Amino acid sequence: MFTMQETSPMAILIIDDMTSNITVLRDAVDGLAEVFFATSGASGLALARHCRPDVVLLDIAMPGMDGYAVCEALKADPLTADCAVIFVTGYTCADRELLSLQQGGVDYLQKPLDLAVVRARVFNHLRIRMQTRALAQARQDLADVVAHLPAFLSYWDDQHLNRFCNDVAGRWFGVTAASMEGMALPEVVGSANALLIRRRLYVGPPDAAPAFEMSLHNADGGTVHTQASVVRRERGKRDSSFLLLITDVSARKQAELALYDEKERMRIMLNSIGDAVIATDRYGCVTFLNPIAEEMTGWSSEEAVGQLIEHVMPLIDGDSGAVTRNPVRLALSEDRIVGMALDCVLVRRDGRRLMVEDSAAPVRDRNGVQSGAIIVFHDVSEARAMAYKMTHLAQHDALTNLPNRTLLRDRTTQALEQASRQDQHVAMLLIDLDNFKVINSTAGHAVGDTLLQQVSLRLQQALRAGDTICRQGGDEFIILLSALDDVEYAGVVARKLLAVLVEAFMVGNQRFDLSASIGVSLFPGDSNDQDGLYRHADSAMYRAKQEGKNRFCFFSAELEEKLLARHALIGELRKAIEDGGLEMHYQPKVDARVGRVVGLEALIRWRHHGVLVPPASFIALAEECGLIVPLGQFVLHQVCTDLARLVDAQVAVPISINLAGQQFDDLALAADIARTLASHDLPSHLLEVEITEGTLIEDVIHSLENLRTLSELGIRTSIDDFGTGYSSLSYLKKFPIDVLKIDQSFVHDMLTDSSDAAIISAIISLASSLRMDLVAEGVEQQAQADRLLAMGCTIMQGYLYSRPVPFEEMLTLLRHETIFGLPPVPA
Ligand code: C2E
Ligand code: CA
Ligand code: CA
């Protein structure tokens, strides 16, 4: 603004009634400023208001209004008051000069005029004017600055009364500058603040008193945070007038408080989160540890700060144990977030190891320059252990801790890949323990489990380290022999396994003799994939069973064919059971003394492709594939239906049905039979069951239970094929058995083979001593019947009387009250 002032033009006004004088004067000041002129006092005054002259050259003697009057008028008008008036006159009287100066003129020029002097004088006055103008402007500017300063600026006198303040509007204390003048300090700032200020004034260092904080209350009752400073007017003297400067620092204060809050929040957060946090500077020296980090590393904050991160948080690789680079280093050197390292182990200060997962990130200051790093980590020991346990559980059999199918699958895939790359063989051995079911049901499942554990141990010990053994569930194991150069080796291993299994097992004091059947299939000879290998091993194992157990068989193609045929047959049998392809035939049991039918045996037939297939061809199959249960259901229902018809025809005799072992496993068997009888409205004594000795001892517990229930229901039980099994007097006494059926093999040869006859006679006396009834099976000749009768067996069954016949035929027979044997019926 000063420059503007400098450039703003200066003006000279010449007032004279003589134009010739005006011309002279104008020439004298030419070029010093803009020149205006007037020829009378009145017009000069009007012009002055307009051009605001800096210097007025004023003629004293003018008609009308003289120079003094004009000067007086100029000084009286605020617009023109500050112009410099130089009187010009022809009078040479000293009074005049004095008068002129007294009238407010600044100078006096005497005619005749020396033009050079005139010019010099005017120039000087113009310069003074210019400086005065600049000074005034500067003062105004300063006043403006002070008034608009965002601070409270004040001066207090010796008595601490206000002498000046810049708060024209009274924004600070609600008191305008004008009314503050003369007010006492406490009145304005409050007594507490006044005390504060005075203390600074007298107690603080006399010269540079430091600024101090002061709180003021604004008009709304809110607090304004300020910074104040006092400066003594007269330093070192006793005078205690002073300047007081107050600035509003609320915004800064607020930012400080916010920063503090933020820091505090961060501190609480870092101390309370579950993760460990360590901060470092950009050299990797620790600057901060939160409590979890202290706990995990074993370092206290005080000790750790300043140490290298590697020292406080040494990391090693979980697998190799090798020292690993701390992620902080990577974060710092690559200036990026470094994700968690896998399998990372933290070595605590006390040497203990913790599995950790971590991630580090560089920290930048507000200019974006890297200033350090932060690493966050947590203990994953438990999680890893759990994960490991879970994978182990998912891949292992709980009982034996051997790999399970899932793991075997992986291993097989690997083995096959490797073998095909290296032109080698892989063998799969499927091991099934022989008759294990019997042990399980006689000795109990706990013993069975212990035995399985021992078996798996023995198998493992017999194998190479690289071979995989897996338990399939039940008593079935699979062994994978990988990387074989010679397929014969599979046979060697199989033989060895059989050998280790036949050695006696001990559970407590109990001795168990086991054996196994093993099926072997080979890659790539038998199959290229694992499902094929398994299927083939399975069929080879099946053949080993068929061929008498306790042996191993390699897979062969013709065996596979047989198995396929068997598979097809099972399908057809299932269909026959569902679609009524089965039918019941009946063979009479005859009281040979009178030739009367005293009972019937129900024997099943399968009408397959128009041919009547005997049970020998499909009962065993049905037992193996579980179809025996639905088949048994069919028999029970059909027999009850037929029985009901016999009842209707009033020719009812008891009918016996044959039960297979598996049907006997089911404890609900007796209840099932009772229900079916009831639904056909039949008395229970009309139904009898036949079971073999083998069935009885296979599952003693179930057998006993079922037999008891059946006998309670009033259903009679026969032991079929008696004499061929494990005849033991003890179990005969234990079970509620009603009838012994002498096996037809003894009857067949009884006339020629004396030992068979002896067995029959033994069975007959056994039955009589146990009060059991007898039936002789397979009686084909009258001589046999006669001999049996003579020995004491009265009930016979056999072709001599009748072959098994369809129900309708049997019904006719019964209706006609056919008498058998007297005379003999032609075959
Ligand atoms: P099993 O219970 O010993 O039945 C007697 C078998 O001897 C019957 O053979 C019968 O036809 C035959 N047979 C009867 N008299 C003579 C004879 O004088 N000489 C000769 N050589 N044989 C005679 P089938 O019907 O072929 O039955 C064979 C076996 O099938 C039965 O032996 C029985 O164990 C089983 N079976 C038959 N039907 C069923 C059934 O419905 N369920 C079950 N689970 N098994 C059945
Ligand atoms: Ca029978
Ligand atoms: Ca029999």
Side-chain angles (χ1 to χ4, degrees), residues 638-652 682 807-808 811 815:
Q638 190 57 52
V639 167
C640 285
T641 308
D642 292 344
L643 255 178
R645 288 184 67 193
L646 294 187
V647 171
D648 284 349
Q650 295 186 321
V651 291
L682 293 168
F807 176 74
E808 297 300 334
L811 186 60
R815 276 217 179 103

mmCIF file of all heavy atoms in Angstrom, residues 638-652 682 807-808 811 815:
data_model
loop_
_atom_site.group_PDB
_atom_site.id
_atom_site.type_symbol
_atom_site.label_atom_id
_atom_site.label_comp_id
_atom_site.label_asym_id
_atom_site.label_seq_id
_atom_site.Cartn_x
_atom_site.Cartn_y
_atom_site.Cartn_z
ATOM 1 N N GLN A 638 -45.125 -117.121 3.384
ATOM 2 C CA GLN A 638 -45.726 -118.125 2.498
ATOM 3 C C GLN A 638 -46.213 -119.333 3.310
ATOM 4 O O GLN A 638 -47.321 -119.823 3.119
ATOM 5 C CB GLN A 638 -44.708 -118.573 1.434
ATOM 6 C CG GLN A 638 -45.317 -119.424 0.325
ATOM 7 C CD GLN A 638 -46.463 -118.700 -0.381
ATOM 8 O OE1 GLN A 638 -46.317 -117.558 -0.830
ATOM 9 N NE2 GLN A 638 -47.637 -119.339 -0.442
ATOM 10 N N VAL A 639 -45.355 -119.758 4.234
ATOM 11 C CA VAL A 639 -45.700 -120.933 5.042
ATOM 12 C C VAL A 639 -46.938 -120.648 5.896
ATOM 13 O O VAL A 639 -47.841 -121.482 6.009
ATOM 14 C CB VAL A 639 -44.496 -121.373 5.906
ATOM 15 C CG1 VAL A 639 -44.921 -122.382 6.975
ATOM 16 C CG2 VAL A 639 -43.409 -121.979 5.031
ATOM 17 N N CYS A 640 -46.989 -119.447 6.478
ATOM 18 C CA CYS A 640 -48.163 -119.107 7.284
ATOM 19 C C CYS A 640 -49.427 -119.056 6.428
ATOM 20 O O CYS A 640 -50.512 -119.490 6.862
ATOM 21 C CB CYS A 640 -47.943 -117.786 8.010
ATOM 22 S SG CYS A 640 -46.816 -117.973 9.393
ATOM 23 N N THR A 641 -49.294 -118.522 5.224
ATOM 24 C CA THR A 641 -50.447 -118.485 4.313
ATOM 25 C C THR A 641 -50.936 -119.915 4.016
ATOM 26 O O THR A 641 -52.133 -120.213 4.097
ATOM 27 C CB THR A 641 -50.047 -117.792 2.994
ATOM 28 O OG1 THR A 641 -49.445 -116.545 3.298
ATOM 29 C CG2 THR A 641 -51.258 -117.568 2.091
ATOM 30 N N ASP A 642 -49.944 -120.773 3.708
ATOM 31 C CA ASP A 642 -50.303 -122.160 3.385
ATOM 32 C C ASP A 642 -50.893 -122.875 4.602
ATOM 33 O O ASP A 642 -51.860 -123.626 4.491
ATOM 34 C CB ASP A 642 -49.072 -122.908 2.857
ATOM 35 C CG ASP A 642 -48.642 -122.368 1.489
ATOM 36 O OD1 ASP A 642 -49.459 -121.664 0.840
ATOM 37 O OD2 ASP A 642 -47.490 -122.619 1.076
ATOM 38 N N LEU A 643 -50.289 -122.593 5.777
ATOM 39 C CA LEU A 643 -50.806 -123.195 7.014
ATOM 40 C C LEU A 643 -52.268 -122.816 7.230
ATOM 41 O O LEU A 643 -53.103 -123.658 7.589
ATOM 42 C CB LEU A 643 -49.982 -122.708 8.203
ATOM 43 C CG LEU A 643 -48.975 -123.677 8.829
ATOM 44 C CD1 LEU A 643 -48.227 -123.000 9.958
ATOM 45 C CD2 LEU A 643 -49.655 -124.959 9.324
ATOM 46 N N ALA A 644 -52.550 -121.532 6.971
ATOM 47 C CA ALA A 644 -53.916 -121.062 7.164
ATOM 48 C C ALA A 644 -54.884 -121.817 6.254
ATOM 49 O O ALA A 644 -56.023 -122.145 6.635
ATOM 50 C CB ALA A 644 -53.977 -119.555 6.892
ATOM 51 N N ARG A 645 -54.408 -122.119 5.074
ATOM 52 C CA ARG A 645 -55.278 -122.869 4.152
ATOM 53 C C ARG A 645 -55.493 -124.307 4.648
ATOM 54 O O ARG A 645 -56.578 -124.863 4.517
ATOM 55 C CB ARG A 645 -54.670 -122.889 2.745
ATOM 56 C CG ARG A 645 -54.763 -121.517 2.072
ATOM 57 C CD ARG A 645 -54.253 -121.561 0.660
ATOM 58 N NE ARG A 645 -55.106 -122.375 -0.195
ATOM 59 C CZ ARG A 645 -54.751 -122.782 -1.419
ATOM 60 N NH1 ARG A 645 -53.562 -122.458 -1.897
ATOM 61 N NH2 ARG A 645 -55.571 -123.518 -2.133
ATOM 62 N N LEU A 646 -54.429 -124.873 5.254
ATOM 63 C CA LEU A 646 -54.568 -126.217 5.827
ATOM 64 C C LEU A 646 -55.578 -126.194 6.963
ATOM 65 O O LEU A 646 -56.420 -127.094 7.104
ATOM 66 C CB LEU A 646 -53.225 -126.739 6.350
ATOM 67 C CG LEU A 646 -52.116 -127.022 5.335
ATOM 68 C CD1 LEU A 646 -50.919 -127.690 6.028
ATOM 69 C CD2 LEU A 646 -52.632 -127.934 4.208
ATOM 70 N N VAL A 647 -55.496 -125.140 7.739
ATOM 71 C CA VAL A 647 -56.440 -125.009 8.854
ATOM 72 C C VAL A 647 -57.858 -124.933 8.303
ATOM 73 O O VAL A 647 -58.777 -125.607 8.768
ATOM 74 C CB VAL A 647 -56.114 -123.787 9.714
ATOM 75 C CG1 VAL A 647 -57.211 -123.522 10.739
ATOM 76 C CG2 VAL A 647 -54.768 -123.968 10.421
ATOM 77 N N ASP A 648 -58.000 -124.109 7.278
ATOM 78 C CA ASP A 648 -59.322 -123.962 6.644
ATOM 79 C C ASP A 648 -59.839 -125.318 6.157
ATOM 80 O O ASP A 648 -61.022 -125.635 6.284
ATOM 81 C CB ASP A 648 -59.237 -123.006 5.449
ATOM 82 C CG ASP A 648 -59.159 -121.560 5.924
ATOM 83 O OD1 ASP A 648 -59.385 -121.325 7.151
ATOM 84 O OD2 ASP A 648 -58.838 -120.677 5.096
ATOM 85 N N ALA A 649 -58.890 -126.099 5.593
ATOM 86 C CA ALA A 649 -59.295 -127.387 5.030
ATOM 87 C C ALA A 649 -59.375 -128.464 6.118
ATOM 88 O O ALA A 649 -59.659 -129.634 5.823
ATOM 89 C CB ALA A 649 -58.305 -127.808 3.951
ATOM 90 N N GLN A 650 -59.125 -128.040 7.325
ATOM 91 C CA GLN A 650 -59.178 -128.932 8.492
ATOM 92 C C GLN A 650 -58.236 -130.131 8.369
ATOM 93 O O GLN A 650 -58.562 -131.239 8.799
ATOM 94 C CB GLN A 650 -60.609 -129.411 8.708
ATOM 95 C CG GLN A 650 -61.494 -128.235 9.075
ATOM 96 C CD GLN A 650 -62.893 -128.662 9.451
ATOM 97 O OE1 GLN A 650 -63.452 -129.574 8.823
ATOM 98 N NE2 GLN A 650 -63.443 -128.031 10.461
ATOM 99 N N VAL A 651 -57.095 -129.888 7.753
ATOM 100 C CA VAL A 651 -56.102 -130.955 7.647
ATOM 101 C C VAL A 651 -54.750 -130.468 8.175
ATOM 102 O O VAL A 651 -53.704 -130.922 7.742
ATOM 103 C CB VAL A 651 -55.947 -131.438 6.185
ATOM 104 C CG1 VAL A 651 -57.202 -132.173 5.731
ATOM 105 C CG2 VAL A 651 -55.630 -130.259 5.252
ATOM 106 N N ALA A 652 -54.807 -129.501 9.085
ATOM 107 C CA ALA A 652 -53.565 -128.865 9.532
ATOM 108 C C ALA A 652 -52.660 -129.811 10.303
ATOM 109 O O ALA A 652 -53.124 -130.556 11.174
ATOM 110 C CB ALA A 652 -53.893 -127.653 10.394
ATOM 111 N N LEU A 682 -52.997 -117.921 13.493
ATOM 112 C CA LEU A 682 -52.555 -119.311 13.629
ATOM 113 C C LEU A 682 -52.037 -119.581 15.046
ATOM 114 O O LEU A 682 -51.371 -118.723 15.625
ATOM 115 C CB LEU A 682 -51.418 -119.592 12.635
ATOM 116 C CG LEU A 682 -51.800 -119.572 11.163
ATOM 117 C CD1 LEU A 682 -50.539 -119.574 10.300
ATOM 118 C CD2 LEU A 682 -52.666 -120.811 10.829
ATOM 119 N N PHE A 807 -47.508 -127.023 -2.851
ATOM 120 C CA PHE A 807 -48.539 -126.976 -1.807
ATOM 121 C C PHE A 807 -49.839 -127.663 -2.236
ATOM 122 O O PHE A 807 -50.422 -128.439 -1.468
ATOM 123 C CB PHE A 807 -48.821 -125.518 -1.415
ATOM 124 C CG PHE A 807 -49.943 -125.395 -0.415
ATOM 125 C CD1 PHE A 807 -49.743 -125.752 0.921
ATOM 126 C CD2 PHE A 807 -51.212 -124.985 -0.802
ATOM 127 C CE1 PHE A 807 -50.781 -125.680 1.845
ATOM 128 C CE2 PHE A 807 -52.247 -124.909 0.111
ATOM 129 C CZ PHE A 807 -52.045 -125.249 1.446
ATOM 130 N N GLU A 808 -50.316 -127.380 -3.462
ATOM 131 C CA GLU A 808 -51.606 -127.929 -3.912
ATOM 132 C C GLU A 808 -51.587 -129.456 -3.832
ATOM 133 O O GLU A 808 -52.545 -130.088 -3.378
ATOM 134 C CB GLU A 808 -51.888 -127.489 -5.356
ATOM 135 C CG GLU A 808 -52.045 -125.987 -5.534
ATOM 136 C CD GLU A 808 -53.202 -125.390 -4.709
ATOM 137 O OE1 GLU A 808 -54.154 -126.139 -4.410
ATOM 138 O OE2 GLU A 808 -53.112 -124.181 -4.338
ATOM 139 N N LEU A 811 -51.777 -130.556 -0.317
ATOM 140 C CA LEU A 811 -53.133 -130.365 0.194
ATOM 141 C C LEU A 811 -54.011 -131.574 -0.187
ATOM 142 O O LEU A 811 -54.757 -132.117 0.644
ATOM 143 C CB LEU A 811 -53.717 -129.069 -0.379
ATOM 144 C CG LEU A 811 -55.081 -128.636 0.155
ATOM 145 C CD1 LEU A 811 -55.018 -128.417 1.672
ATOM 146 C CD2 LEU A 811 -55.562 -127.358 -0.550
ATOM 147 N N ARG A 815 -55.823 -134.111 2.260
ATOM 148 C CA ARG A 815 -57.286 -134.222 2.198
ATOM 149 C C ARG A 815 -57.727 -135.693 2.102
ATOM 150 O O ARG A 815 -58.741 -136.082 2.647
ATOM 151 C CB ARG A 815 -57.804 -133.452 0.974
ATOM 152 C CG ARG A 815 -57.988 -131.974 1.248
ATOM 153 C CD ARG A 815 -59.233 -131.497 0.492
ATOM 154 N NE ARG A 815 -59.473 -130.085 0.741
ATOM 155 C CZ ARG A 815 -59.193 -129.103 -0.114
ATOM 156 N NH1 ARG A 815 -58.658 -129.402 -1.291
ATOM 157 N NH2 ARG A 815 -59.457 -127.865 0.194
#
